[in-house]
């Protein structure tokens, strides 16, 4: 896996901050001995400019990574916290360089010293969580990459679940469409059957009426025949 350019820049920026802290401490020691420090002062000023430029690069890289969704929001917040620590460190180093804002002993105690290199806790990460305490930048980066991979795996699993649910929803929708078509066909069949029944009922009624009319005519004819017979052949 190719190294993350943000963490590569972050590591080099931390190294510059460490170098500035050492140079400031060296300058302060020379000044207490009454020695002149124009060269050290120029070096520190140049390193401070480089530090600011590196921090600006980190800001741009982070903004681009978050806006293009190259990293998760959680990872973006994590990197922003690291960047905020660097900005605080820059201000403290600048104040120490100008001898403003804090006593020299207090500033030196807050800077990374040789003792920190030998394994003392990093004073810049005084609120560092237990799981990363004592780890180097590469180890922290690997841990963060592992967390990102786990988050990506979780997102992939969630995406798979959502896809399955979407597919199930589509299948249910298709089944409902088929059932609705069947119901429509049944409704049409019932309507047609009902219309046929009504038609047959009208025919039966008409036939019944015709039958009744025919019966009445036959009765009348029989009566007429009887009258004629009586008239022609009167009874004695």
């Amino acid at each position: 896996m190719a190294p993350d350019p943000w963490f590569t820049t972050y590591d080099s920026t931390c190294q510059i901050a460490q170098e500035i802290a050492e140079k400031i401490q060296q300058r302060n020691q020379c000044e207490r001995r009454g020695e002149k420090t124009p060269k050290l002062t120029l070096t520190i000023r140049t390193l401070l400019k480089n530090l600011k430029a590196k921090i600006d690069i980190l800001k741009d890289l982070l903004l681009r990574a978050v806006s293009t969704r190259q990293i998760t929001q959680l990872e973006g917040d994590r990197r922003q916290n690291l960047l905020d620590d660097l900005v605080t460190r820059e201000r403290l180093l600048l104040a120490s360089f100008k001898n403003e804002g804090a006593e020299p002993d207090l500033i030196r105690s807050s800077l990374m010293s040789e003792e920190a290199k030998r394994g003392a806790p990093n004073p810049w990460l005084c609120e560092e969580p237990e799981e990363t305490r004592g780890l180097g930048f590469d180890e922290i980066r690997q841990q963060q990459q592992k967390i990102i991979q786990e988050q990506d795996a979780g997102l992939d699993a969630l995406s798979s679940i959502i896809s399955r649910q979407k597919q199930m929803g589509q299948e249910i929708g298709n089944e409902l469409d088929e059932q609705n078509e069947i119901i429509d066909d049944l409704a049409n069949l019932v309507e047609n059957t009902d219309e046929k029944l009504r038609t047959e009922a009208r025919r039966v009624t008409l036939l019944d009426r015709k039958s009744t009319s025919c019966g009445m005519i036959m009765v009348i004819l029989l009566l007429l025949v009887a009258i004629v017979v009586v008239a022609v052949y009167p009874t004695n």
Side-chain angles (χ1 to χ4, degrees), residues 203-221:
R203 288 179 180 177
V204 170
T205 302
L206 182 61
L207 289 174
D208 184 64
R209 288 177 182 177
K210 289 182 178 180
S211 298
T212 302
S213 299
C214 291
M216 292 295 297
I217 293 172
M218 290 297 297
V219 170
I220 293 172
L221 288 175

Side-chain angles (χ1 to χ4, degrees), residues 153-173:
L155 290 174
D156 290 340
L158 180 60
S159 176
S160 178
I161 293 174
I162 293 174
S163 297
R164 288 198 298 271
Q165 290 178 340
K166 180 180 179 181
Q167 183 179 359
M168 290 175 60
Q170 291 175 344
E171 292 176 355
I172 292 174

Side-chain angles (χ1 to χ4, degrees), residues 1 13 35 47 56 84 86 111 116 127 144-145 154 163 168 178 182 186 211 215 230:
M1 182 180 295
T13 305
E35 300 175 1
L47 289 173
D56 290 339
D84 291 341
L86 273 177
L111 298 176
E127 297 182 357
Q144 290 175 340
Q145 290 174 348
S163 297
M168 290 175 60
E178 293 178 1
I182 293 174
L186 287 174
S211 298
V230 171

Side-chain angles (χ1 to χ4, degrees), residues 14 30 33 45 54 71-72 74 84 88 99 136 199 205 209 215 222 225:
C14 290
C30 291
R33 292 195 299 265
R45 188 176 286 112
K54 287 281 190 179
I71 59 176
T72 64
L74 179 62
D84 291 341
T88 301
N99 291 324
T199 301
T205 302
R209 288 177 182 177
L222 290 174
V225 169

Side-chain angles (χ1 to χ4, degrees), residues 222-235:
L222 290 174
L223 288 174
L224 289 174
V225 169
I227 292 171
V228 170
V229 171
V230 171
V232 174
Y233 302 101
T235 57

